[in-house]
Amino acid sequence: MTDTTAASAPAGSAEGSDHGNDLDELKRFVVAHAVSQDLPADHYAPLLDRITTDQGDAPGSWAYEWVRAGDELDAAGQPLAAAQYYLLGRFPFVDGPGRARALERSVDAFDRWRKAGDTGIEPETVDVGGTPVRIWTAGLSTGTPRPLLVVTGGIVSTKEQWGPLLPQLTSLGLAAAVAELPGVGENPLRYERDSSRLFTAILDALDGRADVSRTYLLALSFSGHLALRAALADPRIRGIVGNGTPVHDFFTDAAWQRRVPRITRDTLAHLAGVPADAVYERIRDWALQDDELRALAVPFATVSARRDEIVPPGDTDRLRRHVADLRLLEHDDVHGAPGHLAETKVWSLLAVQRMRPDADPTTTAGLAAAVEAARAAGAKR
């Protein structure tokens, strides 16, 4: 059911490298995504040990071993768990038949899981400048349109990674949608300076089935940058929650860019459709300027990691100086704060609740208590 054109590389992208990804770096970064999906370490660690090459689709290759583990789970009647393994098989982006196969199977397994259970998750196709983009939705109703929460991951995570959150979001009295950044997963768009139009297109498509005049964005990593830009142009967006948001210095600081992990550089190049050595020049004018940050008229709650290896500390400092309503959670952690996952997940939902004038106070209090409990449990580790 996957659109194979969405899985192919844009012309001129970085994925044609003769050397593929750095395997040690790839293994290191995928662990954060495995943790975010609650995958058991005693299962994926031996899998990583079996992988000896990033390239190809034979035993011992990245795609083959993740897909094989997914097939075993699928055969055991666990399609959602299978989907999680498949989507890590296409990590960080599709660069050939093996990862294309992994992407296709992840979407198919997730689709079968959501149909088989009482999830309330439905597909939706959004027109973005004439290009159809597929998203997952829940809680839509023409009779009683609810406030809308749009969830987007970063440059390496697909909508199927975050799709299982949708039933929880509707339980908070929200309509919800999960989408992918341009170039990620099934999204066939190219990642460009004006890619924030994706959010406006989603709001336009769901208008009448959700109260899009009360929209909140839970936009992780690089999608947080697009969310900020979207909020400057679309008054229907009432608040943003981010995590590891690049703002300015990431796009302009050449010295910092030389330190950025290769996997991040190559993935950005793939999504933008340029060679890896040209990607930082391509994105240089994407930086949000100080006057734009000062013009942000909605609250911005975000997680910042003091040891972030992708987003420079100057970007958090810039947010402190210029965003009027900044609600900041800092962790002594790396990008995405994987070591504080439980607290961050609940804090992000609480941040959305606190932005909503219609939020149920009992639910908000329960989330606040859950944040404190997660924080206390983390302090004991």
Side-chain angles (χ1 to χ4, degrees), residues 333-349:
D333 209 336
V334 296
H335 184 73
H340 299 79
L341 181 65
E343 178 186 349
T344 298
K345 276 185 173 180
V346 187
W347 183 88
S348 298
L349 296 179

Side-chain angles (χ1 to χ4, degrees), residues 290-315:
D290 294 350
D291 59 342
E292 292 178 301
L293 295 175
R294 287 192 293 269
L296 186 68
V298 299
F300 180 43
T302 191
V303 177
S304 175
R306 297 187 186 96
R307 291 180 283 117
D308 199 315
E309 68 278 42
I310 295 173
V311 178
D315 277 355

Side-chain angles (χ1 to χ4, degrees), residues 2 67 71 83 86 100-110 112:
T2 301
V67 169
D71 285 347
Y86 292 141
R101 181 168 66 103
L103 173 63
E104 183 172 359
R105 293 198 185 188
S106 71
V107 176
D108 176 69
F110 180 87
R112 287 186 280 110

Side-chain angles (χ1 to χ4, degrees), residues 207-221:
D207 192 8
R209 293 173 290 161
D211 181 359
V212 298
S213 69
R214 294 182 290 163
T215 293
Y216 304 89
L217 306 180
L218 177 50
L220 307 176
S221 192

